[in-house]
Amino acid sequence: MRVPSKQVVSRSAADSANSALARLTVAIGTAGLAAAAARPGLLAEIDQHAAAVRDSLGGDRRPLSPAALAGYAEGVRDAAREHGWQPPIRSTDWSEADWPLARLLAVCALARALETGPAPLPTL
């Protein structure tokens, strides 16, 4: 059975999406997710943002993909920049992350989950 060509993501498109997510992770994801692990309030905020991103991308109807996450992150950055937002240049005060930064960090969390797979169920 052949898959329609419009449903197949080319290798270069997949590489581009993965590269964009890797850059985002280096820029904010690594430090932000470490901060979230140490701050329950930030972790809850990022979890809420991640749920909203999944919902926005139809994650309950089809699996999330790097391409969908990279495109979503690009849209968030573009819209935020149109409203005067600038991404952080240096270290970030994660105790007061603004909406775009929290949303982008949620994308990083979702991308990491794609790489590692679903979390195992707790043992009883």
Side-chain angles (χ1 to χ4, degrees):
M1 178 174 146
R2 290 186 55 130
V3 176
S5 62
K6 68 180 182 180
Q7 292 180 350
V8 176
V9 177
S10 71
R11 175 59 97 192
S12 62
D15 289 346
S16 178
N18 286 324
S19 179
L21 291 173
R23 286 190 306 275
L24 183 62
T25 298
V26 167
I28 66 163
T30 302
L33 293 173
R39 292 190 162 115
L42 178 60
L43 185 59
E45 181 181 358
I46 299 311
D47 187 51
Q48 290 173 346
H49 277 278
V53 172
R54 274 192 302 274
D55 185 50
S56 177
L57 294 174
D60 59 338
R61 295 182 305 278
R62 62 182 178 271
L64 293 178
S65 69
L69 289 172
Y72 186 91
E74 183 179 351
V76 168
R77 278 191 308 262
D78 289 349
R81 284 182 180 139
E82 286 178 12
H83 290 91
W85 180 78
Q86 292 296 317
I89 296 172
R90 294 185 195 94
S91 62
T92 301
D93 178 5
W94 290 103
S95 64
E96 297 184 17
D98 57 15
W99 190 94
L101 196 56
R103 199 60 150 215
L104 293 171
L105 185 54
V107 170
C108 291
L110 291 168
R112 180 177 283 178
L114 286 181
E115 293 172 2
T116 62
L121 295 174
T123 57
L124 299 174

